[in-house]
């Protein structure tokens, strides 16, 4: 069976090249055995994302401007792991409520991935959320910055898969999450690991 193997190499030195608001640019001198190399990368807190599916197997996607790629991308609700010691599924539930005004009654771990393993240590866990209902009016989050302009749309899962495979979706959380959800559905949801929010 194929599986990635966590296999850290000794770090001879570590330098913060730039300390940023959300993530840092760092440089590590890594001992590979035969040689030592300098590797610069983005040190990132990580993130969570939510594939929210309604009873008709439609997935919620949000349009959000992403400045580094100068594009408005269709993405699932998602956010940084920026609350210390917060469980991942709790972070996902918080993001679903904040970005989509939704609460889910059922949660599963869908997929984990590194966004850019050659240049960042960012890791994202994607959850599947079902049994959706609106948040209470008193619990609605006030969205700011790029989040203020997000437009929600419900897309049939099969149409979202077509959009991912045809190159119309580019967000890694959308592409990975949508394809993972479709793969899980094709296996009767038997591969999913339930979690409690």
């Amino acid at each position: 069976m194929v599986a990635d193997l966590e296999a850290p190499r000794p770090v001879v030195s570590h330098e913060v090249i730039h300390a940023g608001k959300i993530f840092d640019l760092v440089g590590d001198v890594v001992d590979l055995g035969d040689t030592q190399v300098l590797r610069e990368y983005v040190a990132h807190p990580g993130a969570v994302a939510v594939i929210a599916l309604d009873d008709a197997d439609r997935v919620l996607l949000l349009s959000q401007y992403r400045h580094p790629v100068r594009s408005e991308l269709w993405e699932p609700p998602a956010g940084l792991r920026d609350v210390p010691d917060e469980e991942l599924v709790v972070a996902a539930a918080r993001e679903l409520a904040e970005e989509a005004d939704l609460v889910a009654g059922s949660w599963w771990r869908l997929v984990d991935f590194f966004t850019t393993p050659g240049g960042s240590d960012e890791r994202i866990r994607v959850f599947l959320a079902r049994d959706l209902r609106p948040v209470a009016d008193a619990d609605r989050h006030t969205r700011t910055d790029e989040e203020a302009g997000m437009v929600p749309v419900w897309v049939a899962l099969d149409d979202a898969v077509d959009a991912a495979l045809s190159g119309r979706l580019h967000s890694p959380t959308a592409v990975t999450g949508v394809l993972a959800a479709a793969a899980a559905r094709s296996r009767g949801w038997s591969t999913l690991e339930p979690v409690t929010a």
Side-chain angles (χ1 to χ4, degrees), residues 14-130:
H14 175 82
E15 175 189 5
V16 177
I17 299 166
H18 172 76
K21 178 181 174 185
I22 297 172
F23 44 77
D24 299 334
L25 177 62
V26 300
D28 289 350
V29 174
V30 183
D31 185 345
L32 298 179
D34 295 336
T35 187
Q36 293 182 352
V37 295
L38 171 64
R39 292 294 176 254
E40 296 175 346
Y41 61 95
V42 172
H44 195 285
V48 293
V50 183
I51 297 298
L53 283 182
D54 68 8
D55 293 339
D57 275 357
R58 296 181 307 164
V59 61
L60 176 65
L61 296 175
L62 307 169
S63 175
Q64 187 168 1
Y65 177 67
R66 295 298 189 182
H67 184 70
V69 294
R70 310 300 197 271
S71 299
E72 290 183 12
L73 301 181
W74 287 104
E75 303 181 345
L80 296 171
R81 295 182 55 200
D82 54 3
V83 176
D85 301 321
E86 184 177 41
E87 290 184 35
L88 295 181
V89 68
V90 173
R94 176 175 50 80
E95 292 296 340
L96 182 63
E98 289 178 2
E99 293 193 349
D101 298 322
L102 291 173
V103 176
S106 302
W107 289 89
W108 296 267
R109 186 194 69 77
L110 189 56
V111 68
D112 292 278
F113 68 98
F114 292 112
T115 59
T116 316
S120 174
D121 64 357
E122 181 182 14
R123 182 181 188 132
I124 295 182
R125 173 161 291 172
V126 183
F127 292 92
L128 175 67
R130 301 210 72 165

